Amino acid sequence: MCARVSGLLDQGYQLYGSPALTSNGERVIAAQALVLPHYVGPEASEGSAR
């Protein structure tokens, strides 16, 4: 795992969903979503019902 992802996990982000793999012809590239589970965006703090 790269240092950037490790840093985000240390900040409370969580891996989400399944990883994906692709190739650019030279190397394999892995991707996976990260989410911040308890984030309250500006819309929620303004009282909008979504």
Side-chain angles (χ1 to χ4, degrees):
M1 192 174 324
C2 75
R4 190 167 51 178
V5 172
S6 294
L8 290 171
L9 292 173
D10 290 342
Q11 293 176 33
Y13 284 81
Q14 296 178 350
L15 294 171
Y16 180 82
S18 300
L21 297 174
T22 190
S23 174
N24 68 359
E26 289 184 22
R27 57 186 175 169
V28 175
I29 301 165
Q32 187 168 5
L34 289 162
V35 296
L36 189 56
H38 300 291
Y39 175 73
V40 177
E43 299 87 20
S45 64
E46 294 173 4
S48 65
R50 284 191 161 191

